[in-house]
Amino acid sequence: MRAIPVTSPRRRPRQARAQATVEAIVKATARVLIEEGYDRASTNRIAQAAGVSIGSLYQYFPSKEALVAALVEEHLSKMTRVLSQALEGAKSPSLPDNASVMVAGLVSAYRVDPRLHHVLCQEVPKIGELRKIYEFEERLATLARSYLRGLQHTIRHTDLDRAIFLLVHAIPSVIRAAVDADPEGNDDARLVDDVTDMVLCYLMVDPPAHRSTNGQTAPMASAVAATV
Amino acid sequence: MRAIPVTSPRRRPRQARAQATVEAIVKATARVLIEEGYDRASTNRIAQAAGVSIGSLYQYFPSKEALVAALVEEHLSKMTRVLSQALEGAKSPSLPDNASVMVAGLVSAYRVDPRLHHVLCQEVPKIGELRKIYEFEERLATLARSYLRGLQHTIRHTDLDRAIFLLVHAIPSVIRAAVDADPEGNDDARLVDDVTDMVLCYLMVDPPAHRSTNGQTAPMASAVAATV
Amino acid sequence: MRAIPVTSPRRRPRQARAQATVEAIVKATARVLIEEGYDRASTNRIAQAAGVSIGSLYQYFPSKEALVAALVEEHLSKMTRVLSQALEGAKSPSLPDNASVMVAGLVSAYRVDPRLHHVLCQEVPKIGELRKIYEFEERLATLARSYLRGLQHTIRHTDLDRAIFLLVHAIPSVIRAAVDADPEGNDDARLVDDVTDMVLCYLMVDPPAHRSTNGQTAPMASAVAATV
Amino acid sequence: MRAIPVTSPRRRPRQARAQATVEAIVKATARVLIEEGYDRASTNRIAQAAGVSIGSLYQYFPSKEALVAALVEEHLSKMTRVLSQALEGAKSPSLPDNASVMVAGLVSAYRVDPRLHHVLCQEVPKIGELRKIYEFEERLATLARSYLRGLQHTIRHTDLDRAIFLLVHAIPSVIRAAVDADPEGNDDARLVDDVTDMVLCYLMVDPPAHRSTNGQTAPMASAVAATV
DNA sequence: AATGAATGAGAATTCATTCAT
DNA sequence: GATGAATGAATTCTCATTCAT
């Protein structure tokens, strides 16, 4: 099958100068990936974009894949951090409240760098370390599972894992599509409402009263979304 | 930015033999794409896999992109055909009935060649003609729009396009994930039920009685699914 | 330890044109190896020296090692051929007669392309297929063994294999050194005599009468040598 | 042709610490050369193996060639030292006695670091200073010449230089082969006997009585060998 | 003196594509 | 029409060497 190249970083930069170089390289990787696409993103081009010699690039990254893997890792941790921060505020035990905060957090996460995310998901071959892009959704599933377990009684589904499987695949792709379609994020409040609505309809035995308001933004939910 | 190569087929083969050659090449492209991934899939390898000389390949396809574009086209039309066939049978005007048939049709469509679909969606750079892979979901949206317009009164949403946007992105990604996770398709009946349930919850003012059955397959829906 | 690269030839040339290309490449490899040494002999330089594009080179040889391996093989078979031809003539069962013919044959073999032989032995890393340069001496040992077994009674040594081990390592290196020191081969007749003398002294219970003639060429032996 | 790089050591280290560094580097060179082969032995790898920064390496050695040249020098002087020590003991004017001591000394010399010797002889390109590896055999020739001149009358050969040429190329290669084939040196005593026997047969008008004992170790000779 | 970051020429190798037969 | 030989730009990656700290 396919060979999996080495992706573990090569040398830990000790001096500040080297740290800067590494960062410049990773940043340049993102830029080139976005602007040129995965297969046009040659290591030379990336080095050039980073204002660094090709030798320096290989001093820190043993292969092109290692480069992208580092970027994936960074991007993922950014998304995770954004999501976590968004979730910190709201600790209401109510599913509806939480759902909208969660969805709003997700939207923020997917706003971190949508164009990079796109390339990482749609062009990068998912081999070895590069499979890690999928991890965000896995973390999401874990998160959802642990939260929803405590609310089993308000949920229609007997098979919670199954319900989570559906949501964890349905929600991100809706958000991703919406984010891609609306780069400025003008409509994010409504997006949050719509997705939240979808989630609540799907999960709850008795969905909340705003059930029929789709098309008009429900005030509270969008207030939360706007703060993200 | 990125150059978009010529992708229109070079010459329409008139003779049966040539037709066979073209088919062999496209089939080989699919095979190599699946086995090697996009960037390892060289035209020489494809020609070899097709049992054809590289010269012959270029006789019919002016570039690698044209080759993959042809494959995308073929794959898309197969999926569309499978979906259409699935929809032909059921003409009940009832949304619940139709939804499950539709979902079952979609599942069948995504079963056409999941591994190829994966490569086409997750690896192939989406430039020029290769964007066409997104067309399936666009066709889906059109289909849904025209069907649901007639049922506005049974639907919660005032902004139908918006609701369709959500569904059209949510449903395929759930199905794709489920199909990838269950290559044999043993659980397809349940998948159809679950997704249908999700759709109906989301769309209908008064979702049907089986609302709370998730985790147990609703007989009727799975009966339909089984016939696909 | 050290990675062993692929060395089996890539594609069998079918057309005459390709055959010529392959030959040109191997010839160029020898030339560049001799002129530049192993580590300066880049595949690009070789391709250029062969008047062929680098792509053509890799069409037929999957790696630099494969290239050198092919050369080794060719060189070895040339040497073997020359030796065999030299041995064909003389079928006398007498050890002295045979020895000088054998030695003369060896000298001719080591004259095939001494500079190439030198690089192949002294610079090329002996990994994988490239170990084969050592095979000539192994073949020699086999040859000597089968011949000398029939003459056990005229030989001083009870442990024949041991005696052969010594000779098989002693003789070629003397010849090689002499060949390198005398590129024109003016002194080959004397070389044959000297080495033959050495062999006979070493092997025979009663070495022949010319034992003390070293320094003056014994007529018969040199006559044989001259015909090679 | 080939450029010959600077090989003279850059600065004579005066301090003990620097001396230690230099030694560590040369030792590391040997290690890496043996383990990785010449072309995989990069200066960075060597510096790392020496536990020294690449900058320090270049402080003492102006080039890779200088590094290897220093190693060659060291290795050669070790071999010479071992040989000299072995010769010191025996000062008998008898050729047979001396021959076996000499051969035993040679065996010890070639046992100094056979794997390094192998790389140095068989892989390192013999340019510039690196030709020095051949010097050992040249010193040997000188040694043999000066010793044997005094024994002309017991020797069959009128052309002594010629005889020495043969021996000086024959003997080391036999010893090298035997040493490589028997890394533990279990058979060294016999090796010494066999080679000595070969030498005496070749040189002497009346070879000693043990002429026919090959295959059984002659007691005295092996006694000497055992003491080395 | 020492460190290790940085350099960039150059090596091996691939692959889309062209062209002679 | 078909074949497959040939092309060479482009890519990944290494390594001897220099230089700032």
Side-chain angles (χ1 to χ4, degrees):
Chain A
M1 275 276 137
R2 267 214 265 184
I4 296 168
V6 184
T7 46
S8 56
R10 200 167 243 176
R11 170 197 295 236
R12 301 241 145 244
R14 302 192 187 167
Q15 302 177 11
R17 185 166 52 130
Q19 191 50 255
T21 300
V22 168
E23 266 167 43
I25 293 170
V26 176
K27 289 242 184 309
T29 306
R31 237 176 312 140
V32 176
L33 232 41
I34 289 168
E35 275 161 27
E36 308 274 348
Y38 180 75
D39 55 352
R40 292 258 167 133
S42 73
T43 50
N44 272 298
R45 229 182 278 248
I46 290 169
Q48 195 177 10
V52 146
S53 77
I54 182 67
S56 293
L57 188 153
Y58 276 95
Q59 193 116 58
Y60 299 107
F61 300 94
S63 70
K64 188 183 171 182
E65 277 70 23
L67 213 48
V68 179
L71 187 59
V72 166
E73 200 107 8
E74 196 190 86
H75 179 66
L76 233 59
S77 73
K78 270 189 198 161
M79 286 183 72
T80 306
R81 206 174 318 132
V82 167
L83 179 61
S84 306
Q85 284 174 0
L87 296 186
E88 268 172 15
K91 294 282 180 184
S92 151
S94 136
L95 180 53
D97 290 358
N98 262 285
S100 79
V101 172
M102 182 87 178
V103 170
L106 271 177
V107 170
S108 317
Y110 281 103
R111 279 260 175 249
V112 161
D113 195 338
R115 300 213 293 154
L116 177 61
H117 195 86
H118 192 269
V119 177
L120 257 24
C121 288
Q122 307 285 317
E123 290 200 10
V124 170
K126 314 300 177 306
I127 313 171
E129 293 288 298
L130 304 186
R131 291 181 168 283
K132 284 200 177 171
I133 328 168
Y134 294 139
E135 275 186 16
F136 186 73
E137 267 120 51
E138 288 169 24
R139 293 177 197 178
L140 213 60
T142 310
L143 207 71
R145 201 154 19 239
S146 73
Y147 172 67
L148 291 179
R149 253 198 259 286
L151 298 169
Q152 264 288 16
H153 56 283
T154 57
I155 292 173
R156 298 162 47 220
H157 306 271
T158 50
D159 187 342
L160 193 58
D161 279 351
R162 186 77 185 165
I164 288 170
F165 179 90
L166 258 76
L167 287 179
V168 156
H169 287 99
I171 298 170
S173 68
V174 169
I175 294 177
R176 233 180 299 132
V179 160
D180 286 356
D182 169 24
E184 280 77 33
N186 300 320
D187 254 1
D188 276 2
R190 196 174 144 215
L191 173 63
V192 171
D193 286 345
D194 287 359
V195 173
T196 304
D197 167 61
M198 189 188 195
V199 170
L200 295 179
C201 288
Y202 180 62
L203 281 181
M204 299 184 78
V205 178
D206 295 308
H210 74 274
R211 265 186 62 85
S212 50
T213 57
N214 175 284
Q216 300 154 244
T217 305
M220 248 195 57
S222 41
V224 174
T227 64
V228 180
Chain B
M1 276 280 133
R2 257 160 120 167
I4 296 169
V6 185
T7 44
S8 56
R10 204 165 238 178
R11 70 172 65 201
R12 299 253 145 228
R14 300 274 162 95
Q15 300 177 12
R17 184 162 60 117
Q19 189 52 258
T21 300
V22 168
E23 264 171 45
I25 293 171
V26 176
K27 289 242 183 312
T29 306
R31 238 178 309 141
V32 176
L33 233 40
I34 289 169
E35 275 162 26
E36 308 274 349
Y38 180 75
D39 53 356
R40 288 259 151 140
S42 71
T43 50
N44 274 291
R45 231 182 276 249
I46 290 169
Q48 194 181 10
V52 149
S53 75
I54 183 67
S56 295
L57 187 152
Y58 275 88
Q59 197 109 50
Y60 296 111
F61 301 93
S63 71
K64 188 184 175 182
E65 272 68 22
L67 202 51
V68 180
L71 182 60
V72 166
E73 200 109 9
E74 195 191 87
H75 179 65
L76 237 57
S77 73
K78 268 189 201 162
M79 286 183 72
T80 307
R81 207 175 316 131
V82 166
L83 179 62
S84 306
Q85 284 174 359
L87 297 186
E88 266 172 15
K91 293 283 181 183
S92 151
S94 139
L95 180 53
D97 291 0
N98 263 287
S100 78
V101 172
M102 184 87 176
V103 170
L106 271 176
V107 170
S108 317
Y110 281 102
R111 279 259 175 249
V112 162
D113 196 338
R115 302 214 295 152
L116 177 60
H117 196 84
H118 193 268
V119 177
L120 256 25
C121 287
Q122 309 283 317
E123 287 200 16
V124 170
K126 313 300 179 305
I127 33 168
E129 293 289 296
L130 304 185
R131 291 183 169 283
K132 284 199 177 171
I133 195 67
Y134 294 136
E135 277 186 12
F136 187 73
E137 266 122 54
E138 290 170 22
R139 292 178 198 176
L140 213 59
T142 311
L143 205 71
R145 200 154 21 237
S146 73
Y147 172 68
L148 290 179
R149 252 199 259 285
L151 298 169
Q152 265 289 18
H153 55 283
T154 55
I155 292 174
R156 298 163 47 222
H157 307 272
T158 51
D159 187 342
L160 192 58
D161 279 352
R162 187 76 186 166
I164 288 171
F165 180 91
L166 258 76
L167 287 179
V168 156
H169 287 99
I171 299 170
S173 68
V174 169
I175 293 177
R176 237 182 295 132
V179 161
D180 286 355
D182 169 26
E184 280 79 33
N186 301 321
D187 254 2
D188 276 1
R190 196 175 146 212
L191 173 63
V192 171
D193 286 344
D194 287 358
V195 173
T196 305
D197 167 62
M198 187 188 200
V199 170
L200 295 180
C201 288
Y202 181 62
L203 282 181
M204 299 185 79
V205 178
D206 295 307
H210 75 272
R211 265 187 62 87
S212 50
T213 56
N214 175 287
Q216 301 154 245
T217 305
M220 247 197 57
S222 42
V224 174
T227 64
V228 179
Chain C
M1 275 277 136
R2 264 208 273 181
I4 297 169
V6 183
T7 45
S8 56
R10 201 166 242 176
R11 171 198 294 237
R12 301 242 146 243
R14 302 194 187 165
Q15 301 177 12
R17 185 165 53 130
Q19 192 48 258
T21 299
V22 168
E23 265 167 43
I25 293 170
V26 176
K27 288 242 184 310
T29 305
R31 236 177 311 141
V32 175
L33 232 41
I34 289 169
E35 276 161 25
E36 308 274 348
Y38 180 75
D39 56 352
R40 291 258 165 134
S42 72
T43 50
N44 272 296
R45 230 181 275 251
I46 291 169
Q48 195 177 11
V52 146
S53 76
I54 183 64
S56 293
L57 188 154
Y58 276 93
Q59 193 117 58
Y60 299 107
F61 301 94
S63 70
K64 188 185 171 180
E65 278 71 23
L67 213 46
V68 180
L71 187 57
V72 166
E73 200 107 9
E74 195 189 88
H75 179 65
L76 233 58
S77 74
K78 269 189 200 161
M79 286 183 72
T80 306
R81 208 175 316 130
V82 167
L83 179 61
S84 306
Q85 285 174 0
L87 297 185
E88 267 172 14
K91 295 279 181 188
S92 152
S94 138
L95 180 53
D97 290 358
N98 262 285
S100 77
V101 172
M102 183 89 176
V103 170
L106 271 176
V107 171
S108 317
Y110 282 103
R111 278 262 175 246
V112 161
D113 195 338
R115 302 215 292 153
L116 176 61
H117 195 86
H118 192 269
V119 177
L120 258 23
C121 288
Q122 308 285 317
E123 291 201 10
V124 170
K126 313 299 176 308
I127 314 170
E129 292 289 298
L130 303 186
R131 291 180 168 283
K132 284 199 178 173
I133 327 168
Y134 295 139
E135 274 186 15
F136 187 73
E137 268 119 52
E138 289 170 23
R139 291 178 199 178
L140 213 59
T142 310
L143 207 70
R145 202 156 16 242
S146 72
Y147 172 67
L148 291 178
R149 254 198 257 287
L151 298 169
Q152 265 288 19
H153 58 283
T154 57
I155 293 174
R156 298 164 46 222
H157 307 271
T158 50
D159 187 342
L160 193 58
D161 280 351
R162 186 76 184 165
I164 289 171
F165 180 91
L166 259 76
L167 288 178
V168 155
H169 287 99
I171 299 170
S173 68
V174 170
I175 294 177
R176 234 182 296 132
V179 160
D180 286 356
D182 170 24
E184 280 78 32
N186 301 320
D187 254 0
D188 276 2
R190 197 175 143 212
L191 174 62
V192 171
D193 285 344
D194 288 359
V195 174
T196 305
D197 168 60
M198 187 186 197
V199 170
L200 295 180
C201 288
Y202 180 62
L203 282 181
M204 298 184 78
V205 178
D206 295 308
H210 74 274
R211 265 188 62 86
S212 49
T213 57
N214 175 284
Q216 300 154 244
T217 305
M220 248 194 59
S222 41
V224 174
T227 64
V228 179
Chain D
M1 276 282 137
R2 258 161 122 166
I4 296 167
V6 185
T7 45
S8 57
R10 205 165 238 177
R11 70 171 66 201
R12 299 254 145 228
R14 300 271 162 98
Q15 301 177 13
R17 185 161 58 117
Q19 189 53 257
T21 302
V22 168
E23 262 171 46
I25 293 170
V26 176
K27 288 244 184 308
T29 307
R31 238 178 310 140
V32 176
L33 231 41
I34 289 169
E35 274 162 27
E36 308 274 348
Y38 180 75
D39 53 356
R40 287 262 152 137
S42 71
T43 50
N44 274 291
R45 231 183 276 248
I46 290 169
Q48 195 182 8
V52 148
S53 74
I54 182 68
S56 295
L57 188 152
Y58 274 90
Q59 197 110 50
Y60 295 110
F61 300 94
S63 70
K64 189 184 175 182
E65 272 69 22
L67 202 52
V68 180
L71 182 60
V72 167
E73 201 109 9
E74 195 191 87
H75 179 65
L76 237 55
S77 74
K78 268 189 201 162
M79 286 183 71
T80 306
R81 208 175 315 133
V82 167
L83 179 62
S84 306
Q85 284 175 359
L87 296 186
E88 267 171 17
K91 293 281 181 186
S92 151
S94 138
L95 179 54
D97 290 359
N98 263 289
S100 77
V101 172
M102 182 88 178
V103 171
L106 271 176
V107 170
S108 316
Y110 282 104
R111 280 257 176 251
V112 161
D113 196 339
R115 302 214 296 152
L116 177 60
H117 196 85
H118 193 268
V119 178
L120 257 25
C121 288
Q122 309 283 316
E123 287 200 15
V124 171
K126 314 301 178 305
I127 33 168
E129 294 289 297
L130 303 186
R131 290 182 168 283
K132 285 200 178 172
I133 194 67
Y134 294 137
E135 278 185 12
F136 187 72
E137 267 122 53
E138 288 169 22
R139 293 178 198 178
L140 213 58
T142 311
L143 206 72
R145 201 153 20 236
S146 73
Y147 172 68
L148 291 178
R149 252 198 261 284
L151 297 169
Q152 266 288 17
H153 57 283
T154 55
I155 292 174
R156 297 164 47 222
H157 307 271
T158 49
D159 187 342
L160 193 58
D161 280 351
R162 188 76 187 165
I164 288 170
F165 180 91
L166 258 75
L167 287 178
V168 156
H169 286 100
I171 299 171
S173 68
V174 169
I175 294 178
R176 236 181 297 131
V179 161
D180 286 355
D182 169 25
E184 280 79 31
N186 301 320
D187 254 1
D188 276 1
R190 196 173 147 215
L191 173 63
V192 171
D193 285 345
D194 287 358
V195 173
T196 304
D197 167 60
M198 188 186 198
V199 170
L200 296 179
C201 288
Y202 181 61
L203 282 181
M204 299 183 79
V205 178
D206 295 307
H210 74 273
R211 265 187 64 87
S212 50
T213 57
N214 174 284
Q216 299 155 244
T217 304
M220 247 196 56
S222 41
V224 175
T227 65
V228 180

